[in-house]
Amino acid sequence: MNICVVGLGYMGLPTALFLSRGGHKVMGYDISKAKIDMLKKGELPFEENGLKELYEQGKKNFSVLSKLGQADAYLIAVPTPANKDNTCDLKYVISATESVVPFVKKGVLVILESTVTPGTTAVLVKGILEKSGLKAGKDFSLAYVSEKAIPGNTLYEMVNNDRVMGGIDDKSNQIAKEIYSCFVKGEIHVTDCTTAETAKLIENAYRDVNIAFANELARICEQLGLDVWKTIELANHHPRVKVLSPGPGVGGHCLSTDPWFLTEKYGNTGVIGTARDVNEKTPRKIVELIESMVKEKPIIAILGASYKKNVDDFRESPTLRMISIFKEKGYSFKVTDPFVRRFPEKIFGFEEAVKDANIILVSVDHDIYKQYEPRLSELESNGVQILDTRNLFNGKFPRIGAVKNQRNEIK
Ligand code: SAJ
């Protein structure tokens, strides 16, 4: 098939390349001219494990467009940020869908992959596409297909995870399933559009609630003088318990917004909204912990700017949140991160960042940081405080939820 992928971001680009490697003729389109120019030169706009290799394998059937053209199928994978009131901002979905309208012909399939508030495909997207004069489910096909891949391991998970897709009718599901089958090895589950959209939001809300639970446990264990990491590990020996890890807060483009989209028509007063609040407040709790650890005004070396380990994406990163609190309080800080480019603050090398610091904040658990363990020990013995918010060093340095751990009853 000729497939046009609208939106060449963290999900759209790898999907386009898997489809082209799988034998489809794929045209990629993005509103970012810079991204199009890079791809035309064969350069990739972001880093992801294995993406370069996938590009080499898929490039024969892949081209980038400066203008949309006719295709058999359109796959829309554009961002859905949150509005100021935390509702789902659908402006990119709307404009991408509108750009497809002139190409809606009999037999065309349109797929939405963006994470959206329930009802978007079956009402909003369908309504826009029907401005073509044709009817969804009768003249053209329409489906919502969600993505479960985790940044850092995107390519493996895109292939091996199960998929949920929801078509406007059986034929839409059948064609969408056929297209994805060229690279998805996981099971493909089919349902209706709104159920598929909601299942996607449930997945991320579930994880966000579980992390909020862990973050709350970190505060509780800190108060009790316990070690949250050891305590959670013990609780996790229960066959039906799997508490996730506390951290400096929840970042990224997904978990920090998607739970709001799930509750937007229902109200945010329940457990999902409370969990969001707990996670949103976590960076401030970390700053309070820093204040309790250093006697003088904190001078902070921040190890890690991205929202999680081994990625270059810093959208909504807890580091950004903590930086705005440091600024509000007039604390000086330096950030180091080997992955991140175009960060709003200057990025220093490791040694420059730790120079003069009285506390080192391990904000991200990049694997590469493990090499700094001896140097951190040295700095610690020179009186520099260390706060490991990710348990990267396995208790070698003070870690959140265990800073005041004094319980050594059982050795
Ligand atoms: N985090 C913790 N503690 C944990 C796990 C994560 O504090 O135990 C933090 C991370 O450091 C990060 C944030 O949560 O700041 C989110 O990271 P993540 O690795 O949990 O998830 P994302 O946002 O990278 O990807 C999620 C995934 N969703 C689920 O696992 C349910 C992924 O599968 C989705 O495809 C992705 O959202 C998406 O695009 O929706």
Side-chain angles (χ1 to χ4, degrees), residues 168-240:
I168 202 90
D169 65 343
D170 289 344
K171 189 174 167 214
S172 301
N173 270 331
Q174 187 206 321
I175 310 172
K177 196 169 174 180
E178 221 170 281
I179 289 178
Y180 282 84
S181 296
C182 80
F183 69 94
V184 173
K185 291 189 187 148
E187 204 175 319
I188 298 177
H189 307 267
V190 296
T191 180
D192 62 275
C193 306
T194 310
T195 304
E197 290 165 344
T198 309
K200 165 70 194 176
L201 296 173
I202 290 175
E203 291 159 11
N204 282 353
Y206 169 81
R207 192 160 169 86
D208 194 51
V209 169
N210 194 331
I211 298 169
F213 181 59
N215 282 331
E216 187 170 334
L217 295 178
R219 309 288 96 76
I220 292 171
C221 287
E222 194 69 73
Q223 288 284 320
L224 292 171
L226 295 176
D227 180 327
V228 72
W229 303 92
K230 286 184 191 159
T231 316
I232 288 179
E233 193 194 320
L234 291 171
N236 279 346
H237 284 293
H238 188 290
R240 283 172 297 283

Side-chain angles (χ1 to χ4, degrees), residues 148-151 200 203-204 207 244-245 251 254 307-308 390:
K148 296 184 200 294
I150 200 144
K200 165 70 194 176
E203 291 159 11
N204 282 353
R207 192 160 169 86
L244 292 174
S245 305
C254 307
Y307 82 96
K308 66 173 192 179
R390 302 284 191 167

Side-chain angles (χ1 to χ4, degrees), residues 24-39:
H24 295 287
K25 192 166 174 302
V26 180
M27 292 152 289
Y29 173 76
D30 198 287
I31 50 168
S32 159
K33 192 176 168 304
K35 205 176 268 180
I36 293 292
D37 289 346
M38 280 183 87
L39 284 164

Side-chain angles (χ1 to χ4, degrees), residues 107-125:
V108 157
L109 166 69
V110 180
I111 293 168
L112 179 65
E113 264 216 15
S114 311
T115 304
V116 288
T117 194
T120 301
T121 310
V123 181
L124 182 80
V125 172

Side-chain angles (χ1 to χ4, degrees), residues 53-314:
E53 292 76 5
L54 178 62
Y55 178 76
E56 288 306 316
Q57 295 157 359
K59 72 179 182 193
K60 189 163 71 76
N61 287 330
F62 176 68
S63 57
V64 276
L65 301 174
S66 311
K67 238 171 67 199
L68 272 189
Q70 190 61 52
D72 305 316
Y74 292 83
L75 191 158
I76 300 173
V78 293
T80 44
N83 288 310
K84 280 210 166 63
D85 64 355
N86 290 324
T87 54
C88 182
D89 181 351
L90 292 165
K91 65 173 177 287
Y92 300 116
V93 171
I94 293 170
S95 58
T97 309
E98 280 170 347
S99 69
V100 168
V101 174
F103 307 102
V104 175
K105 303 265 150 44
K106 269 189 181 284
V108 157
L109 166 69
V110 180
I111 293 168
L112 179 65
E113 264 216 15
S114 311
T115 304
V116 288
T117 194
T120 301
T121 310
V123 181
L124 182 80
V125 172
K126 176 173 175 277
I128 296 172
L129 295 173
E130 288 186 343
K131 285 184 196 161
S132 62
L134 299 180
K135 286 265 164 255
K138 181 169 165 273
D139 303 313
F140 68 93
S141 299
L142 174 63
Y144 177 79
V145 180
S146 76
E147 181 54 73
K148 296 184 200 294
I150 200 144
N153 199 24
T154 301
L155 303 192
Y156 175 85
E157 293 208 350
M158 273 190 166
V159 172
N160 294 288
N161 287 353
D162 281 11
R163 286 284 183 131
V164 174
M165 57 177 61
I168 202 90
D169 65 343
D170 289 344
K171 189 174 167 214
S172 301
N173 270 331
Q174 187 206 321
I175 310 172
K177 196 169 174 180
E178 221 170 281
I179 289 178
Y180 282 84
S181 296
C182 80
F183 69 94
V184 173
K185 291 189 187 148
E187 204 175 319
I188 298 177
H189 307 267
V190 296
T191 180
D192 62 275
C193 306
T194 310
T195 304
E197 290 165 344
T198 309
K200 165 70 194 176
L201 296 173
I202 290 175
E203 291 159 11
N204 282 353
Y206 169 81
R207 192 160 169 86
D208 194 51
V209 169
N210 194 331
I211 298 169
F213 181 59
N215 282 331
E216 187 170 334
L217 295 178
R219 309 288 96 76
I220 292 171
C221 287
E222 194 69 73
Q223 288 284 320
L224 292 171
L226 295 176
D227 180 327
V228 72
W229 303 92
K230 286 184 191 159
T231 316
I232 288 179
E233 193 194 320
L234 291 171
N236 279 346
H237 284 293
H238 188 290
R240 283 172 297 283
V241 173
K242 178 75 191 85
V243 182
L244 292 174
S245 305
V250 168
H253 177 50
C254 307
L255 266 59
S256 61
T257 54
D258 297 356
W260 295 127
F261 302 168
L262 179 59
T263 58
E264 96 180 34
K265 287 181 185 139
Y266 163 80
N268 289 325
T269 50
V271 69
I272 298 169
T274 305
R276 264 301 55 240
D277 280 343
V278 168
N279 288 334
E280 291 276 310
K281 285 178 182 145
T282 298
R284 197 167 282 278
K285 298 280 178 203
I286 304 294
V287 178
E288 286 167 13
L289 203 52
I290 290 174
E291 288 165 333
S292 75
M293 291 172 75
V294 282
K295 289 185 200 76
E296 338 67 84
K297 200 170 178 182
I299 303 168
I300 309 123
I302 308 171
L303 268 58
S306 63
Y307 82 96
K308 66 173 192 179
K309 71 191 268 185
N310 305 337
V311 300
D312 61 359
D313 188 345
F314 57 83

